[in-house]
Amino acid sequence: MKKWYQLKGPESEVALSACVRLSRNLRGIPFPAGLGNSEKREITEKICEAVFNENSSVSNTFQLIDLEQISDDEAIALAERGLVNAGFIDDRSGRSVLVSKDESLCIMMNGEDHFLIQSRTAGLCLIDAYNTADWLDTILDKTLHFAFDQRLGYLTRNPAILGTGMVASINLHLPALSDTGAAVRIASNLQPLGMSLRGVGNSAVRPRGAVFRLSNRMTLGLSEQEAITNLSGIAGQIIAQERAARNKLIQDITVQDTVGRSLGILQSARLLGYDEFLDLISVVRFGVAVGFVKDIRYETIDDLVMRVQPANVTLETGRRLTADERRAARANIVRDTFAGKQNGGA
């Protein structure tokens, strides 16, 4: 079965992925921060019983991963692929995650809240991501008693997501808006609307790979559907602005030259750092979108971004690596992929 990031989604030349997260807590039980390991395990057992019950429609969907039973590299690899938060693996005691076969759906247990449902899709499919998360939420609600207040909505440890308990986001590839500085202006204009546009991995103006995350910052007083509709609408406007900015950039011969050089390095490098890879693959992805690069699919690029992260390279290689060995292994994976030796061709 292909992973969700190996599939092509709508508007994929700009929209990389969509994600919906629903934070939930069980009624009458303190938040995980106030619980011991045995109490956390009881919560995990309750959730797993609801999921794996023979009458459950999702009983064959998930694999349980106990974070206390896996290696550091395996835990970091989960975080690199976005299956858990980076902070979720800082203290792995009492924490587990349920993961679907295609990794599009997961349930993180005993993080800030008792559990967090995460649904992801390729491209601009935020409604699909929400519908899947809501479907799973409804199934679990039949047997688990959620902490809910008639006035405030779903009760969560983070007061910022009281109400729906939902955080929706869309990852956008914005090399043109980043290069012109327009991304900063857009981010500033979105703040009064209760939305955030930040560089993925940090809040840098020009993040590695020019990937930005558009997300909702307000949940109280809005329905899930309203939040999804608003975010999708803003994403559509940003995508249109990015396309317009790209049309101006492609007239510059130096931009065309940069695309060709970046692809050449990826096809021939023998040592490749991850940050360097992100910068180069961003330029190549831009080149694919504007027609400078032929016969390379977005799915191939997005799969590479996941596979060549440090811990995932280590796991794919099957042994511990020095820094140079990891850079060499990453370069090999990238060269072989662009040579058509892996993933069924370019």
Side-chain angles (χ1 to χ4, degrees), residues 274-286:
Y274 187 60
D275 284 349
E276 180 187 12
F277 164 79
L278 287 178
D279 290 339
L280 294 169
I281 203 68
S282 172
V283 175
V284 171
R285 200 180 206 284
F286 168 85

Side-chain angles (χ1 to χ4, degrees), residues 88-242:
F88 193 75
I89 62 173
D90 287 343
D91 178 6
R92 308 203 312 254
S93 59
R95 291 180 174 175
S96 301
V97 59
L98 291 161
V99 181
S100 65
K101 294 180 178 65
D102 67 354
E103 300 188 356
S104 67
L105 194 58
C106 67
I107 304 173
M108 291 171 245
M109 294 175 282
N110 293 313
E112 281 196 351
D113 296 290
H114 292 150
F115 68 98
L116 184 151
I117 295 170
Q118 176 177 275
S119 173
R120 292 183 294 176
T121 64
L124 189 62
C125 286
L126 192 60
I127 293 176
D128 290 347
Y130 167 72
N131 287 339
T132 300
D134 183 59
W135 164 75
L136 180 56
D137 185 48
T138 301
I139 291 172
L140 296 179
D141 191 31
K142 292 178 181 178
T143 53
L144 300 173
H145 302 290
F146 296 160
F148 184 85
D149 181 88
Q150 292 296 330
R151 182 174 61 89
L152 296 175
Y154 290 103
L155 303 181
T156 59
R157 186 171 185 271
N158 182 355
I161 58 173
L162 274 175
T164 63
M166 182 184 77
V167 175
S169 62
I170 301 168
N171 280 3
L172 301 167
H173 184 224
L174 306 177
L177 292 178
S178 177
D179 185 68
T180 61
V184 177
R185 173 181 52 79
I186 293 171
S188 177
N189 292 340
L190 288 177
Q191 290 181 6
L193 301 178
M195 298 183 194
S196 170
L197 183 69
R198 297 168 64 88
V200 169
N202 51 52
S203 58
V205 174
R206 294 187 180 183
R208 293 286 184 179
V211 178
F212 290 78
R213 179 166 296 143
L214 174 69
S215 61
N216 65 306
R217 295 172 54 244
M218 288 175 48
T219 63
L220 196 60
L222 282 178
S223 70
E224 292 95 334
Q225 291 82 1
E226 287 173 328
I228 293 295
T229 298
N230 293 345
L231 201 65
S232 297
I234 294 296
Q237 295 178 34
I238 295 175
I239 289 171
Q241 293 181 58
E242 171 66 20

Side-chain angles (χ1 to χ4, degrees), residues 8-124:
K8 183 181 179 181
E11 310 287 359
S12 55
E13 71 274 19
V14 179
L16 303 179
S17 62
C19 177
V20 170
R21 290 178 165 186
L22 301 177
S23 294
R24 298 290 185 260
N25 289 284
L26 306 183
R27 189 186 310 158
I29 302 176
F31 293 126
L35 301 178
N37 275 3
S38 61
E39 294 166 308
K40 290 179 181 179
R41 290 191 186 97
E42 288 178 9
I43 290 174
T44 299
E45 289 173 3
K46 287 178 183 290
I47 297 169
C48 287
E49 183 178 348
V51 170
F52 294 117
N53 185 292
E54 61 182 11
N55 296 320
S56 170
S57 57
V58 294
S59 58
N60 295 318
T61 301
F62 294 99
Q63 171 193 2
L64 175 64
I65 301 175
D66 185 340
L67 266 65
E68 292 187 71
Q69 302 301 318
I70 62 177
S71 68
D72 289 344
D73 284 331
E74 288 171 319
I76 295 170
L78 290 175
E80 287 178 350
R81 299 200 305 280
L83 290 166
V84 297
N85 302 322
F88 193 75
I89 62 173
D90 287 343
D91 178 6
R92 308 203 312 254
S93 59
R95 291 180 174 175
S96 301
V97 59
L98 291 161
V99 181
S100 65
K101 294 180 178 65
D102 67 354
E103 300 188 356
S104 67
L105 194 58
C106 67
I107 304 173
M108 291 171 245
M109 294 175 282
N110 293 313
E112 281 196 351
D113 296 290
H114 292 150
F115 68 98
L116 184 151
I117 295 170
Q118 176 177 275
S119 173
R120 292 183 294 176
T121 64
L124 189 62

Side-chain angles (χ1 to χ4, degrees), residues 266-270 328 330-340:
L266 291 174
Q267 289 174 326
S268 61
R270 290 301 189 268
R330 179 179 295 111
N332 287 339
I333 292 170
V334 173
R335 287 201 318 276
D336 287 347
T337 298
F338 283 131

